[in-house]
Amino acid sequence: MDTDLSSQDRKDLDKFIKFFALKTVQVIVQARLGEKICTRSSSSPTGSDWFNLAIKDIPEVTHEAKKALAGQLPAVGRSMCVEISLKTSEGDSMELEIWCLEMNEKCDKEIKVSYTVYNRLSLLLKSLLAITRVTPAYRLSRKQGHEYVILYRIYFGEVQLSGLGEGFQTVRVGTVGTPVGTITLSCAYRINLAFMSTRTTAEDNAAVYPSVEDSQEVCTTSFSTSPPSQLSSSRLSYQPAALGVGSADMGYPVVFAGGLNAAHPHQLIVPGKEGGVPLVPSQPPHAAQADQERMAMCTPLDGAHYSAATPSSSEDTETVSNSSEAKSGSPHDILETIFVRKVGAFVNKPINQVTMANLDIPFAMFSPKNIELEDNDPMVNPPDSPETESPLLGSLHSEGSSGNSTGNTHDDFVMVDFKPAFSKDDILPMDLGTFYREFQNPPQLSSLSIDIGAQSMAEDLDSLPEKLAVHEKNVKEFDAFVETLQ
Amino acid sequence: MNCRSEVLEVSVEGRQIEEAMLAVLHTILLHRSTGKFHYKKEGTYSIGTVGTQDVDCDFIDFTYVRVSSEELDRALRKAVGEFKDALRNSGGDGMGQISLEFYQKKKSRWPFSDECIPWEVWTVRVNVVSLANEQERQICREKVGEKLCEKVINIVEVMNRHEYLPKMPTQSEVDNVFDTGLKDVQPYLYKISYQITDSLGTSVTTTMRRLIKDTLAL
């Protein structure tokens, strides 16, 4: 094979490949320094700019690259790799990318070394410049600083992708065929983030989060599966946690991650990758426990909500509003239906007597003659009251009048304070019940009544000329004011 | 020789139009520009050096690399600015496309003018969306950034197929292949045009940019 290639061409090709490898390393490392790169174009060739591209040479990087190459060139089975990793200030580290410069056996004998190969290598370097800004690690590297730094490592030989975790993605930068083989440049990058933490306590995890959270959020925003559009789902799913709610319950993506971290330092976690629910296919026991803990945290809250809600739906005596839900409509319907009294949450005494009349009259236990006075019972035959929208209001009126009426007819009638749910007894001067009663029937706004509205409109129109006259007198003042605004 | 045609589609918010278009066009031109040629007596030539610089977008979570040439950047910004204005003023549903065409000039005898033979056309179809609130804008920033990452990968993939490129010209032919008017870099001859689609889906107008004067010399 080599005899087909002239010795000069062979020398040139080896030189091109060597310098291409060195320039590749420079481009990759410089793209991860965290700064914007800027080099100047020069119309006059200086002779030292390989591949007609202005790529600076950082001496330390060149030194490391040459050390790794040790005089060899990328060949079949011997690839040059640049590993980019992230290291936090706490000492956790993680591989982000592996850039591979490989050579395979597919040769292109016809290609001209000094011209076509050189130009194509130049094109490949330009592609590398573009692609290094596009992989997730770029945005991470731009934000490195106090919390984490980006590191690089160059090695030569077999490509090691195991440190990238599961589900890593690959992007091919390009290929160049040569008479001795095809050069391929590609990048394998991590999708899922996990910090290899040896810490297991919750406090430590909590301590890690404030610093890690930032970068973790950064990581998830920058990271992508392929296609990168999936990033948006992880970002979106982060938002519920971010938007929330300061309570530990709602912060669970991070908590969850902590639990999983404890169990599997190498486990890959994408908070909210699967549309908001951190799913791990095979849950290790610790993770399951964490999950259960989370559920346990949630349940009492839910339960509390639920139990708080029940009195309003089932309780009959304490909260008058319930009666509206228990019955289907107006008080007249009560006569037609039979209810079983439910004991509400805040009821002190169980009520044994169950009658139709008792069901809906508040404080029925205090009016023993209700059954006989059914016809006079305002609940059954409500007095004329102003139109009210909710039966609640009607019954309150009734209650008031029933209180009055029964007070008139029964001296031993005891006025019991209206006790709405959740209210505390006699602690506040203005408790919920009092407030409710006082503001139950506000008077109608005078401006809303038609007559008054019409009157005021007429008055307004009449007074307009006078007002205009006054304003015209003060024109100069207004102008001066406007000028001060400008 | 057939003209290679590539189409890219993006959906952006109004204020992202310019940056998204510049990102795509600059990425393409990065691959389609060389250093300035300096011809020597024996017919050989040397090539100048192309510098590059990173550009951070203000309205998109994205950074792209462009050739370090202020003249080229100005020319692209002007074209993209006109496209953006046309898109905004169209009053339609905010759809349009901008095309970057690489061509070769073929000299013809008088009275015929030179022919422009395109060999690669990149078309970017743009759909402008309007967003209701800041939260949506934030999501759009990231989404469009991701989309542009995809587009760059697509562009690089096409570029590295190593398909037809005009062969390197002699000194006398260099202006038929390259735009030698810039002082620091030398892109292949190109022209940018755009079309705005009105709400009926028909293209309303095309505006030719750059070098149209040459083709209409007669």
Side-chain angles (χ1 to χ4, degrees), chain A residues 129-367:
Chain A
L129 281 163
I131 295 285
T132 44
R133 274 66 175 170
V134 148
T135 53
Y138 180 72
R139 298 214 76 80
L140 278 175
S141 66
R142 287 293 299 272
K143 293 174 186 172
Q144 67 184 297
H146 302 293
E147 285 135 15
Y148 63 89
V149 288
I150 303 292
L151 309 172
Y152 75 94
R153 181 172 79 95
I154 308 168
Y155 63 90
F156 193 73
E158 287 273 329
V159 182
Q160 298 150 23
L161 298 176
S162 56
L164 293 176
E166 291 171 13
F168 62 86
Q169 294 293 315
T170 310
V171 61
R172 194 163 81 162
V173 183
T175 60
V176 173
T178 76
V180 300
T182 299
I183 295 169
T184 307
L185 188 52
S186 61
C187 172
Y189 57 92
R190 170 185 285 271
I191 299 299
N192 298 325
L193 290 183
F195 282 99
M196 304 204 188
S197 173
T198 52
R199 302 188 187 98
T200 55
T201 61
E203 284 117 344
D204 284 338
N205 282 335
V208 166
Y209 289 138
S211 58
V212 162
E213 200 172 356
D214 253 348
S215 48
Q216 194 165 22
E217 187 174 328
V218 166
C219 289
T220 50
T221 57
S222 302
F223 249 9
S224 65
T225 62
S226 181
S229 53
Q230 201 156 351
L231 256 189
S232 58
S233 66
S234 65
R235 176 66 159 170
L236 282 173
S237 55
Y238 235 128
Q239 281 181 347
L243 284 180
V245 194
S247 71
D249 294 333
M250 300 310 274
Y252 66 81
V254 179
V255 173
F256 210 152
L260 285 169
N261 256 341
H264 267 248
H266 301 276
Q267 183 95 32
L268 298 174
I269 304 158
V270 178
K273 181 178 186 246
E274 306 276 345
V277 178
L279 289 177
V280 177
S282 55
Q283 294 210 0
H286 289 284
Q289 194 178 27
D291 194 20
Q292 283 165 11
E293 280 167 11
R294 177 174 70 81
M295 290 308 294
M297 280 194 289
C298 283
T299 318
L301 192 68
D302 294 340
H305 276 304
Y306 183 71
S307 59
T310 43
S312 61
S313 59
S314 65
E315 200 236 333
D316 286 325
T317 54
E318 303 298 291
T319 310
V320 182
S321 60
N322 297 331
S323 59
S324 65
E325 290 167 53
K327 63 186 183 225
S328 52
S330 67
H332 295 284
D333 292 339
I334 299 164
L335 296 170
E336 325 301 331
T337 53
I338 297 171
F339 289 95
V340 175
R341 180 187 283 280
K342 299 178 221 169
V343 178
F346 302 120
V347 171
N348 292 326
K349 284 185 189 176
I351 294 158
N352 298 320
Q353 202 173 11
V354 179
T355 62
M356 284 190 277
N358 280 348
L359 284 169
D360 298 288
I361 303 168
F363 320 116
M365 58 174 143
F366 301 108
S367 52

Side-chain angles (χ1 to χ4, degrees), chain A residues 35-47 49 52-55 115 119-120 123-124 126-135 138-139 142 171-177 189 221 223-224 227-232 235-236 239 243, chain B residues 27 29-38 45-56 60-65 67-69 135 138-139 142-143 146-150 152-153 156-157 159-160 162-163 165-168 183-185:
Chain A
E35 300 154 358
K36 286 205 301 189
I37 303 297
C38 180
T39 56
R40 291 185 61 183
S41 301
S42 166
S43 64
S44 323
T46 57
D49 292 321
N52 310 118
L53 283 173
I55 298 170
Y115 170 71
N119 286 340
R120 287 187 181 179
L123 193 73
L124 189 52
K126 289 173 184 172
S127 297
L128 182 65
L129 281 163
I131 295 285
T132 44
R133 274 66 175 170
V134 148
T135 53
Y138 180 72
R139 298 214 76 80
R142 287 293 299 272
V171 61
R172 194 163 81 162
V173 183
T175 60
V176 173
Y189 57 92
T221 57
F223 249 9
S224 65
S229 53
Q230 201 156 351
L231 256 189
S232 58
R235 176 66 159 170
L236 282 173
Q239 281 181 347
L243 284 180
Chain B
T27 302
L29 276 164
L30 169 69
H31 290 82
R32 293 286 180 249
S33 300
T34 72
K36 296 284 287 178
F37 282 12
H38 296 276
Y45 59 92
S46 58
I47 309 176
T49 303
V50 172
T52 58
Q53 58 187 84
D54 290 329
V55 181
D56 288 336
I60 312 172
D61 287 346
F62 187 69
T63 301
Y64 63 92
V65 181
V67 161
S68 288
S69 166
Q135 191 181 349
Q138 184 59 33
I139 296 168
E142 292 155 19
K143 270 193 174 172
E146 292 156 24
K147 273 290 164 193
L148 288 176
C149 290
E150 280 178 44
V152 166
I153 293 174
V156 160
E157 196 208 347
M159 295 297 181
N160 277 273
H162 302 303
E163 291 169 338
L165 280 180
K167 62 178 184 189
M168 286 299 148
K183 71 173 196 290
D184 42 15
V185 294

Side-chain angles (χ1 to χ4, degrees), chain B residues 126-205:
Chain B
V126 181
N127 177 34
V128 182
V129 298
S130 37
L131 302 173
N133 58 47
E134 203 50 46
Q135 191 181 349
E136 284 183 30
R137 280 197 195 99
Q138 184 59 33
I139 296 168
C140 192
R141 273 185 77 98
E142 292 155 19
K143 270 193 174 172
V144 172
E146 292 156 24
K147 273 290 164 193
L148 288 176
C149 290
E150 280 178 44
K151 300 307 156 196
V152 166
I153 293 174
N154 294 346
I155 292 167
V156 160
E157 196 208 347
V158 171
M159 295 297 181
N160 277 273
R161 285 182 205 155
H162 302 303
E163 291 169 338
Y164 173 81
L165 280 180
K167 62 178 184 189
M168 286 299 148
T170 58
Q171 191 169 8
S172 56
E173 301 267 298
V174 71
D175 289 314
N176 293 341
V177 175
F178 287 102
D179 179 354
T180 52
L182 304 173
K183 71 173 196 290
D184 42 15
V185 294
Q186 193 173 284
Y188 281 101
L189 277 174
Y190 73 93
K191 58 176 108 160
I192 299 175
S193 59
Y194 61 84
Q195 286 180 326
I196 308 296
T197 318
D198 69 3
S199 50
L200 296 172
T202 57
S203 60
V204 176
T205 185

Side-chain angles (χ1 to χ4, degrees), chain A residues 60-76:
Chain A
E60 181 200 277
V61 175
T62 305
H63 174 72
E64 290 296 320
K66 283 182 174 170
K67 204 165 79 173
L69 284 171
Q72 297 176 71
L73 288 177
V76 179

